[in-house]
C-alpha cells in the first residue's frame, strides 16, 4: 500500500495524463483516510495537529484529483466525470477498459506497453 501511495504522490504528483488502475486509486484513497484518521486522533491531544492535518490536506489535494482523473481515463471517460456526485463513485469502482484507449495503454497489460514502444521505433 505504501509503495502505491509513494508512486502516486511522488512520481505522479500532478500528472493528469494516462491511466490509473482501480488498485492505484483505492490504495491512495485508503492511505489518505488512514493518515487523516491518525491526524484526527492526535488533534484531540495536541491542537497544532489540526494545522498539520490542514496542510496535509492541501498538499494531497492535487495528487488526489490527478489520480481520480487518471482513473476516469482508465474507463475511457473524461476527467470531468469526477464532478458528478454518486455516479463518479460508481465509475471509480468500475473495471478499466481492456487494451489501449484514447488516454493510453492498459496499465494492467505491461506487454502492450512494450508493443506500443516498438511501433514508435518503426
Amino acid at each position: 500500500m505504501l509503495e502505491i501511495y509513494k508512486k502516486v504522490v511522488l512520481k505522479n504528483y500532478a500528472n493528469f495524463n494516462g491511466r490509473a488502475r482501480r488498485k492505484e486509486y483505492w490504495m491512495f484513497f485508503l492511505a489518505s483516510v488512514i493518515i487523516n484518521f491518525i491526524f484526527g486522533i492526535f488533534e484531540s491531544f495536541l491542537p497544532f495537529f489540526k494545522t498539520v492535518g490542514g496542510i496535509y490536506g492541501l498538499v494531497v489535494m492535487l495528487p488526489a484529483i490527478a489520480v481520480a482523473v487518471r482513473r476516469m481515463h482508465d474507463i475511457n471517460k473524461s476527467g470531468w466525470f469526477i464532478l458528478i456526485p454518486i455516479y463518479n463513485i460508481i465509475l471509480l469502482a468500475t473495471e478499466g477498459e481492456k487494451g489501449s484507449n484514447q488516454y493510453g495503454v492498459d496499465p494492467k497489460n505491461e506487454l502492450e506497453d512494450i508493443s506500443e514502444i516498438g511501433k514508435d521505433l518503426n
Side-chain angles (χ1 to χ4, degrees), residues 78-108:
S78 169
W80 291 104
F81 276 82
I82 64 171
L83 299 176
I84 302 172
I86 301 180
Y87 183 57
N88 64 2
I89 296 170
I90 295 167
L91 292 176
L92 290 169
T94 303
E95 185 175 357
E97 189 174 282
K98 294 191 184 330
S100 295
N101 66 18
Q102 65 181 347
Y103 298 106
V105 296
D106 186 355
K108 282 188 176 179

Side-chain angles (χ1 to χ4, degrees), residues 3-47:
E3 288 299 316
I4 291 175
Y5 190 79
K6 284 183 190 178
K7 177 183 173 188
V8 173
V9 173
L10 299 177
K11 292 185 180 177
N12 289 324
Y13 185 79
N15 180 11
F16 292 87
N17 298 320
R19 296 167 62 175
R21 296 174 56 184
R22 279 187 298 185
K23 182 178 180 180
E24 181 179 348
Y25 175 80
W26 289 109
M27 288 300 195
F28 174 80
F29 181 82
L30 177 64
S32 294
V33 167
I34 291 170
I35 291 170
N36 281 319
F37 182 74
I38 291 169
F39 280 138
I41 290 172
F42 283 116
E43 279 179 19
S44 60
F45 301 115
L46 302 167

Side-chain angles (χ1 to χ4, degrees), residues 48-113:
F48 85 93
F49 268 98
K50 193 169 193 169
T51 304
V52 174
I55 292 170
Y56 170 76
L58 288 173
V59 167
V60 174
M61 186 178 357
L62 187 61
I65 294 169
V67 74
V69 167
R70 289 195 317 271
R71 180 72 201 113
M72 291 295 130
H73 289 172
D74 192 41
I75 55 173
N76 207 16
K77 299 280 186 192
S78 169
W80 291 104
F81 276 82
I82 64 171
L83 299 176
I84 302 172
I86 301 180
Y87 183 57
N88 64 2
I89 296 170
I90 295 167
L91 292 176
L92 290 169
T94 303
E95 185 175 357
E97 189 174 282
K98 294 191 184 330
S100 295
N101 66 18
Q102 65 181 347
Y103 298 106
V105 296
D106 186 355
K108 282 188 176 179
N109 189 356
E110 295 175 8
L111 296 176
E112 183 180 341
D113 191 27

